[in-house]
Amino acid sequence: MEEKTAMPSLEKLVVASSPHIRAEETVDKLMWQVLVALLPAAVVSVYFFGFRSLVLMAVGVASAVLTEALVQKALGKEVTVADGSAAVTGLLLAFNVPADAPWWLVAIGAAFAIAVVKQTFGGLGANFVNPALAARAFMLAAWPQHMTGKFPVPLDSVTAATPLAILKGTAAGTLPSYLDLFIGNVGGVLGETSALALLVGGAYLIWQKVIDWRTPVSFIGTVALLTWVFGGKGGLLTGDPLYHVLAGGLILGAFFMATDYVTSPITPKGRLIFGIGCGFITVLIRLWGGYPEGVSYSILLMNLVVPFIDRWAVPRVYGVSRARA
Amino acid sequence: MELRTFLGGVHPAPSKDRTAASPIEAAPLPKRVVIPLVQGGAPCEPLVKQGDAVLAGQKIGESKAFVSAPVHASISGKVTAIETHLLPTGREAPAVVIEGDESDTWVETKGHALDGLTVEDLKALIREAGLVGMGGAMFPAHVKVSPPPGKTFDSVIINGAECEPYLTCDQRLMTEEPEKIILGLRAWLKVTGAERGYIGIENNKPEAISALKAAAAGEGNVEVVPLLTKYPQGSEKQLIKAILGREVPSGGLPVDAGALVQNVGTTYALATAIESGRPLVERVVTVTGTPLKAPRNLKVRLGTLFSDLLAYCGLEGEVGKVISGGPMMGIALPTTDVPVIKGTSGILLLTPAEAEIPPERACIRCGRCVDACPIGLIPTFLDQFCRKEMWDRAEEYHVQDCIECGSCAYVCPSKRHLVPALRLGKAEVLARRRRK
């Protein structure tokens, strides 16, 4: 054959299974995208609640990352804090406390989330409940005085009850307007008050295909439907679904907690069922339960049935009839 | 018009620019060819021995088994050895080595008119020409066109999807030889008795679509079907679903959906065999990849060594991986001392950087593999079951239906090695079924 050229070395050929090309997506990239999506809510939080908000978020992230590194070091495992998943947990944990919460509460909560809820079960991918939410439940039980009751009101030095507590009648106060609810100018925990900022982040995640639209849409839709049907004082169909959607942690939970890959179903159909289940439990607690707010518990409880959902909501296999063998 | 397609799948970068516009060019006649006796179905017995003179097109291997296709000399010359050689499939097999005499003297053959051939003539011709599926699977074509009793074909689909990135050999064949593809399709229709013929082509190959549409203008029962560009559009099951809207039953064959699917290259080879009487001794191979100076589509005599073709195209820079086939389903080889066989659609070189294997991380259950699986499986569960040797669970979750397309591993952000685990699971489940 003509056109002979000197053959460069072929000696170190990689022999591996197909496929030989991979998409650019990595776990790290996905987690950092979630952090980016949480940024608007974080910024709004600092704007409304002040510097204290930034301190708590920093403490949450630092505690989570440090705890993960320490536990992994102690167990002789590879330290994987660079993947961003611990940072996400730490930030979400901070999002779940009021602005006047003590810093040590956030530090302990984040450490608990990582050390007990995540690493005890094997680390990323192996925990069966959402670490931030489990830690929130723990903090709520251990230090209720810091987690509920009076919340700092944005741009103000007073504290008040959350809109949902007022709505439920467990606390006195005047209900804020839809606009204040939407923007986030209401009492509440750090990350949940601004529906607008959360929706911007959530839309980004759906647009970037980081999360599936099914969970947030079915979750929020179920809450809206059920609170409209059952939430009114004037009988059926007199509820105020918009208020229930905008107030409390629903949007934060639906876009950022219920969509946690590790603790939610793996199939599209499963995610729909999961969202509907979360919405159902949320409304149950909000309307008839002892707490004004039910989002965290609804997600935690649904986390527990994910294995059953995954087993039931399998996709239809090509060439196999619908009736499952 | 809405483009037809299937559910699931992925969108890898096509990477076809290097060769998509390069016309098919004959590779220089090789001085030596290595022709494996195993190329589709049961192994062939050699019909020649060391020292024999052979002509191009002469049958040199044959088997009495039904599921087997004969092999032929691709150049004229002398048999210098019959020895074991590594194949691009990654397996070893006995092969006939021929030193060429550079005269390129062919056995005498005569062509036919398709209309003058009976169905039986055609079947015999398909077998004698050594036709096998040239998309890679190398299943003997005469077996494929003979349905089991009680089953019939109503449709023939020419697979012109060519969904593997980098590869352009089918695209070029369709663009340059549309009449022969149509002739081949008419022959498939005749031999199967099917009424309708389809040519499925991804819509990123507009010249191929228009060339074939023009060539098929006079054929009332032939339709050129543009398909959405999505991997694995060229998988038999996905193609049947996209074009006919039917599914091949789990564990079944395309004939169970009334369809015969044939590769473009095989169809072209059938037309050649009809028109000239010449058996399958050459094929188009896309030689491509970043480390190559001049990637191109070459018409190559079977048995030509990869190293000869790479030398012809010229290497620049280091090579990290040599792949027979495309990047999604191709086989990585430890050497370039392997011959082009009937199923070799491409030779793809990757640079060391491109060949780097990203570290495997824990599954985060993101579900991307579930969305990507064109079969509707849950690859990450199957991966766990197979790694833990939970074969019952693997079978319950249909591991045996996996087509090994690699879509799951392609999209996995944790870069998990899903394909080898599932491949193992498939083999184990099938072996257990056989034992029962």
Side-chain angles (χ1 to χ4, degrees), chain B residues 307-327:
Chain B
S307 49
D308 285 345
L309 295 174
L310 298 183
Y312 180 60
C313 292
L315 287 182
E316 52 185 3
E318 288 296 296
V319 178
K321 217 178 213 181
V322 175
I323 297 161
S324 171

Side-chain angles (χ1 to χ4, degrees), chain A residues 20 22-23 25 264 316 318-319, chain B residues 237 247 327 365 375 409 415:
Chain A
H20 305 288
R22 302 285 199 139
E25 212 103 278
S264 65
R316 192 184 69 85
Y318 179 106
Chain B
K237 289 180 171 184
E247 292 190 359
R365 296 175 39 95
I375 300 295
K415 312 295 167 194

Side-chain angles (χ1 to χ4, degrees), chain A residues 75-118:
Chain A
L75 296 176
K77 290 204 237 169
E78 190 197 347
V79 175
T80 59
V81 290
D83 67 22
S85 65
V88 169
T89 297
L91 188 57
L92 284 175
L93 192 276
F95 271 21
N96 273 295
V97 300
D100 59 358
W103 67 268
W104 54 260
L105 181 69
V106 175
I108 293 174
F112 178 87
I114 297 295
V116 178
V117 190
K118 185 178 176 188

